[in-house]
Amino acid sequence: MDKALEGIVVLDLGQIYNGPYCSLMLAYQGAKVIKVESLEGENLRVRRIGDCHELLMLNSNKLGVSLNLKSEKGKSIFTDLVKKADIIVENFALGTMEKLGLGYEELKKINPGLIYATGKGYGLDGPYAERPAMDLTIQAMGGVMATTGFPDKPPVKAGPAIADFLGGIHLFGGITTALYQREKTGKGQLVEVSMHDTVYPILASALGAFYNTNGKVPERTGNQHSGMATSPYNVYRTEDGYIAIICVVNRQWESLVKVMGREELLEDSRFKTNVDRSAHIEVVDEIISSWTKGLKKLDIAEKLIKANVPHAPVSSIPEVADDPHLKYRQMIREVEHPNAGKIRVPGSPIRLSDSPLDHVFAAPLLGQHTDQVLTEFLQMSKKDLTKLREENVIR
Amino acid sequence: MDKALEGIVVLDLGQIYNGPYCSLMLAYQGAKVIKVESLEGENLRVRRIGDCHELLMLNSNKLGVSLNLKSEKGKSIFTDLVKKADIIVENFALGTMEKLGLGYEELKKINPGLIYATGKGYGLDGPYAERPAMDLTIQAMGGVMATTGFPDKPPVKAGPAIADFLGGIHLFGGITTALYQREKTGKGQLVEVSMHDTVYPILASALGAFYNTNGKVPERTGNQHSGMATSPYNVYRTEDGYIAIICVVNRQWESLVKVMGREELLEDSRFKTNVDRSAHIEVVDEIISSWTKGLKKLDIAEKLIKANVPHAPVSSIPEVADDPHLKYRQMIREVEHPNAGKIRVPGSPIRLSDSPLDHVFAAPLLGQHTDQVLTEFLQMSKKDLTKLREENVIR
């Protein structure tokens, strides 16, 4: 069975997380992704000696080409590749590709079918467009930090690089939409995603609380409900960690009360409905904490599974790295890497029944497929390649 | 100009954030999205009396149909609509559609071209599949909480509902990929996204730190770098709030030192390189804090813009809600709603040059377009509609 993006050629200039995650999803759907790096390698390679795990996680199923885009010969090889490509993915700082003479306006002249996808911190235009942007600064500017953490403590970033990844996956969605449109029009186009834009809709709960209550709820509520309007809804300390528990309907509260052996609470008018419980959040949380603190998180989880009460243990990173469900679903896969040996890389969160991810291979070494790609796409000879290598055009 | 998804018909059974955000992106790219709700409305309508802002944010550009899928007539109307649809989006609890007799296996028989997109907490299979899942529990189970917050404080959720939104946007990417594949094969397929899967790759920094250092760095590092390997990298208290500052290259550190008027630090061997500074993170942070605490966050930002040092003020929700950059980029748009009046809704973070988002209209009232849709798609008469309404099949 052909995969969804079989036959599609991607030139991936992505670095760190945003662009590489986007093109990882393209590769996982069957596109031929050529990761084009400078002679030194992309930022993640430079940042840490050796093969850092972040790079290995996000570059499976790609071919690696190392090409000096600052040299005239390197540019010319790149534009020759552009003629044979369907998609370019890049998330350089604003203006980088234009300075190289490789901006969309130039490239579309040589390939009108090209889909040029650009991931930026603040987008291509607007008052902040020129500012340097990283995941941390976008989380600060975009309201993610204001809404994360405890109300009496400083704002804190979301641990994962959510701005980078939201940027990358929106870019993927834009590219596949443009591919579909190209089937109708025969034309490529520019696809643009600003990380700062992507973190705005995800503030739904906070913006909802702000507009619904005229700003009367705190910006951040720790692990409690953003609108302080659901109870129980919190993370509770256990003997060996933490557990999240929520009751969205009364039946779940009743089950929880029974599991805790506190049936007398069913008669208490403070806890009859969610509205009642939300008016007594501190009391509800205290009752639950006093029960969880003497038990182990997985023992509590087992009881709550049986009682059908929504919950989850707060998993540590070693627990996530070994999660049996993620393994079952092949979200954790083991591949062999020439230097790093057996490593664990993610599978695809996007599952298409007619485009299964059957084969995953490890991220390329820097320039691992330079010769293969230039031979296959541009019919270069061994002599050509040796000369280009001597001239510091390829690696 | 035709928009990318012009002519595509979507039956949107989404609720809360995950499904609705997915179909909002489909609507913004030009698909005709029919939001199908029960006679009471989806969860967000039931949860709060009136038109809650979260619902208004995520359902622009959709038509609203209210249909009783538990009645035989309602089911039959739905399957008649399925025959004319390209896409179904649903994020009900596992098995809900199957119990209604409207699972993918049934629906593909009546429309083999149908793309059936299902957003789930833990996916369709695996050891956790049956567990109830919400954004909070997925953040707990998936490692988001473990990595968020200060190392000496409890784990805390990311404020935004990132599992819901990551789920929704991956689902969008899966649907558009399947649309492209359908152009080649003529066939529809099942698209599945598990929220739990989507939060695994975004742990890149934490998994990197875990595998690169054999678990020697703390799981969460507050606002400091996940690997404690970049300095300055933190959020600093100011006179009126907080500001995030990062230096990734020495030039930026040198600029920062000059802005602070602390040129003597340039000669200090503790701060020469990023490696030196990372070995003295606490000292570096103390130096910067002692400067920021006496200044206002936007005054600091202005100085750092001029000095080209990566930074961002930590914006409050009211500041985000009025952000001039988001307004310039039309990520904040004003639309007129019959009950709520002028409201602010998000634009599209996915920008296609040949498929611009020119017109945004407000989320439908419950059942606002029931008659229009059933007349247009199923040629129903006024008499048919009156009868169905009397029988509690539509609203």
Side-chain angles (χ1 to χ4, degrees), chain A residues 17 157 176 205 219 223 317, chain B residues 17 157 176 205 219 223 317:
Chain A
Y17 298 157
K157 69 174 160 112
T176 48
S205 295
E219 289 199 316
N223 289 311
I317 290 300
Chain B
Y17 298 157
K157 69 175 159 113
T176 48
S205 295
E219 289 200 315
N223 289 311
I317 290 300

Side-chain angles (χ1 to χ4, degrees), chain A residues 29-188:
Chain A
Q29 295 300 335
K32 178 172 267 194
V33 175
I34 303 167
K35 182 175 177 72
V36 180
E37 298 178 79
S38 69
L39 300 190
E40 299 76 38
E42 67 134 300
N43 281 4
L44 270 187
R45 273 195 219 271
V46 176
R47 208 191 260 181
R48 189 176 286 112
I49 309 305
D51 304 283
C52 84
H53 192 78
E54 299 91 307
L55 184 111
L56 301 179
M57 274 183 70
L58 300 176
N59 293 286
S60 298
N61 287 25
K62 301 182 189 179
L63 302 173
V65 165
S66 180
L67 183 62
N68 181 1
L69 290 180
K70 290 179 179 162
S71 73
E72 285 314 308
K73 278 201 185 164
K75 276 194 234 292
S76 143
I77 290 170
F78 185 76
T79 52
D80 285 347
L81 287 172
V82 168
K83 290 174 195 159
K84 319 240 164 152
D86 299 280
I87 296 164
I88 284 185
V89 176
E90 64 91 3
N91 63 316
F92 290 120
L94 186 71
T96 303
M97 290 293 279
E98 288 73 15
K99 266 180 235 154
L100 290 168
L102 300 172
Y104 177 58
E105 293 306 317
E106 295 305 314
L107 298 184
K108 79 174 181 187
K109 287 180 204 154
I110 61 173
N111 181 356
L114 183 71
I115 293 165
Y116 183 105
T118 179
K120 292 284 169 276
Y122 291 110
L124 295 175
D125 57 5
Y128 308 163
E130 307 270 350
R131 300 190 191 173
M134 289 115 189
D135 186 80
L136 184 80
T137 58
I138 296 296
Q139 287 202 33
M141 185 67 99
V144 176
M145 280 189 194
T147 59
T148 302
F150 296 96
D152 58 342
K153 294 276 176 322
V156 63
K157 69 174 160 112
I162 63 171
D164 275 332
F165 282 90
L166 280 165
I169 192 63
H170 279 82
L171 199 59
F172 171 83
I175 290 168
T176 48
T177 304
L179 271 175
Y180 174 75
Q181 192 172 16
R182 194 176 73 166
E183 292 294 303
K184 309 294 176 187
T185 63
K187 289 192 303 186

Side-chain angles (χ1 to χ4, degrees), chain B residues 236-257:
Chain B
Y236 303 92
R237 194 185 285 269
T238 72
E239 205 183 282
D240 61 345
Y242 295 85
I243 191 161
I245 300 175
I246 319 180
C247 298
V248 282
V249 295
N250 272 342
R251 184 195 50 68
Q252 294 163 346
W253 165 249
E254 289 155 19
S255 299
L256 175 63
V257 160

